[in-house]
Amino acid sequence: MPKPRKQQVSLDATPYYHCVSRCVRRAFLCGTDHLSGQCYEHRRGWLEDKLLSLPEIFAIDIAAYAIMSNHYHVVLFIDARRAKAWSDIEVIERWHHLFKGNLFSQKFVKGEKLDHAQRARLQIYIEEWRSRLSSISWFMRVLNEAIAREANIEDGCSGRFWEGRFKSQALLDEAALAACMAYVDLNPVRASISKTPEASEYTSIKRRCDAAKKSTNPNHKAQQVETLHPFVGNPRQNIPQGIQMKLTDYLELVDWTGRILRHDKRGDISKSTENILARLGIDDSQWLEMTECFEECFRTFAGGEQSLRAACETLNYKRP
């Protein structure tokens, strides 16, 4: 029986989560239905635009994503500090971008006075909305519902478009995060949709590559893609919030991993790639297995043995 989502998400263990959502019925998220000849490629744009717009409202960033024909992958970063720093009016305004709110919140944003009881009740709503705006469940709900409505209107039908429950995995350490991001970014290459990561449409790796080509210093946080969670370089004191490795190292890592996964060619590991694997504490004999079948290697949590043990202790998980 699936575990409740609240038992799978612990910000004390990690702020990074890999989520996968798949279509139901025989409908296509994207791609072409070879039986009917109907093309659904435009839906990739629907999903990508909505996905990249939600971090402007939620306290959640996109670290990686890949939009496939009947499912999509996304790696999310929950920024709890950002949510806590929002003022009450900012929480209300963000929530009103998604929903109507209620009578009290509508009066509050208009500057109308509320009595003590009304203000106390509104405060309860504000804290609930603040929590929801940093929740991957609500993030995925808003995203999926918007796409489902558009797809059902276009298909002239009603009912479920997505599976009832999206899959999520907690990424407990830097090794798990890097492996999962590479797994997500290489999805089109593995599916023979694209020959190279930088040519993979509707993926985070293509957006990062496009920005890197135009940048004088692709590793600088300010010169990276604004809509994606940034790479901030190697771990150090006073490091800014972001993925703790260089963008160029990650791009080399993805490229090397993609070459190794090809059946007709096996490349040598470059010195720079060896350095990053050593820095992340990754056993290169296990790296291919992790990035080739990440979802099968891990279930609810992903990480090294020490990280997994710590997460289990935090959430009081017991060995069956």
Side-chain angles (χ1 to χ4, degrees):
M1 181 177 180
K3 293 182 180 294
R5 192 71 65 191
K6 64 182 179 181
Q7 294 183 18
Q8 299 181 28
V9 176
S10 171
L11 295 184
D12 292 332
T14 178
Y16 290 99
Y17 294 85
H18 169 221
C19 301
V20 185
S21 201
R22 300 178 185 276
C23 293
V24 295
R25 61 179 191 254
R26 205 181 62 80
F28 275 63
L29 167 59
C30 309
T32 301
D33 185 343
H34 298 293
L35 295 178
S36 66
Q38 179 70 33
C39 179
Y40 299 99
E41 279 300 296
H42 57 283
R43 292 181 178 176
R44 293 183 195 266
W46 291 356
L47 182 53
E48 185 175 49
D49 290 345
K50 187 66 175 180
L51 176 64
L52 295 177
S53 69
L54 287 181
E56 297 178 3
I57 302 172
F58 283 82
I60 294 178
D61 287 348
I62 310 297
Y65 70 88
I67 302 173
M68 307 301 288
S69 62
N70 66 347
H71 70 285
Y72 69 90
H73 297 262
V74 60
V75 178
L76 302 175
F77 170 79
I78 303 176
D79 193 345
R81 289 188 299 175
R82 194 199 321 172
K84 291 179 181 178
W86 289 336
S87 64
D88 289 350
I89 185 63
E90 190 171 2
V91 172
I92 293 173
E93 289 175 344
R94 287 173 179 272
W95 188 254
H96 283 183
H97 275 92
L98 303 172
F99 305 100
K100 293 181 179 180
N102 54 43
L103 179 61
F104 298 153
S105 65
Q106 293 290 347
K107 285 185 174 182
F108 187 77
V109 296
K110 293 177 182 178
E112 299 180 18
K113 290 186 178 181
L114 301 176
D115 61 33
H116 179 74
Q118 291 173 333
R119 189 66 178 84
R121 186 62 182 171
L122 177 59
Q123 194 62 46
I124 295 175
Y125 286 121
I126 290 173
E127 294 311 310
E128 178 64 23
W129 294 342
R130 189 190 304 275
S131 174
R132 290 178 178 181
L133 288 170
S134 58
S135 163
I136 61 173
S137 292
W138 277 86
F139 183 98
M140 296 294 286
R141 171 181 173 175
V142 170
L143 175 61
N144 285 351
E145 284 184 356
I147 302 305
R149 282 194 296 269
E150 290 190 71
N152 282 344
I153 291 173
E154 185 177 61
D155 292 343
C157 64
S158 60
R160 289 187 179 276
F161 182 76
W162 303 99
E163 289 182 348
R165 181 182 170 91
F166 68 89
K167 180 180 178 180
S168 68
Q169 296 171 303
L171 308 176
L172 300 176
D173 51 37
E174 294 297 323
L177 175 62
C180 185
M181 289 180 63
Y183 166 78
V184 169
D185 279 329
L186 285 170
N187 255 251
V189 174
R190 284 194 297 273
S192 297
I193 297 174
S194 302
K195 293 183 178 180
T196 61
E198 63 270 23
S200 300
E201 298 288 345
Y202 304 103
T203 62
S204 52
I205 191 71
K206 186 182 189 312
R207 282 187 171 262
R208 294 191 189 277
C209 288
D210 289 346
K213 291 177 184 177
K214 302 175 183 178
S215 173
T216 56
N217 182 5
N219 290 317
H220 196 289
K221 180 180 178 181
Q223 297 187 34
Q224 296 181 35
V225 185
E226 292 183 1
T227 52
L228 296 176
H229 196 51
F231 286 83
V232 294
N234 299 335
R236 59 189 184 278
Q237 288 186 338
N238 301 320
I239 189 170
Q241 189 166 265
I243 302 166
Q244 297 188 19
M245 60 189 298
K246 293 180 180 179
L247 173 61
T248 50
D249 284 344
Y250 175 72
L251 295 179
E252 289 181 348
L253 182 63
V254 172
D255 184 69
W256 169 75
T257 306
R259 292 174 187 273
I260 295 296
L261 289 175
R262 287 177 56 180
H263 297 295
D264 61 338
K265 182 176 181 181
R266 288 192 174 274
D268 295 329
I269 301 174
S270 66
K271 293 182 179 179
S272 60
T273 305
E274 288 176 344
N275 289 338
I276 191 172
L277 293 181
R279 185 177 76 247
L280 295 178
I282 300 171
D283 181 349
D284 58 4
S285 65
Q286 298 176 353
W287 176 257
L288 281 182
E289 181 181 2
M290 290 173 67
T291 56
E292 189 170 20
C293 50
F294 191 89
E295 291 179 78
E296 289 73 23
C297 289
F298 301 102
R299 298 289 181 173
T300 302
F301 302 104
E305 181 178 356
Q306 185 175 356
S307 299
L308 290 170
R309 289 183 182 277
C312 290
E313 291 176 1
T314 301
L315 298 174
N316 294 318
Y317 272 33
K318 296 180 179 180
R319 181 177 296 179

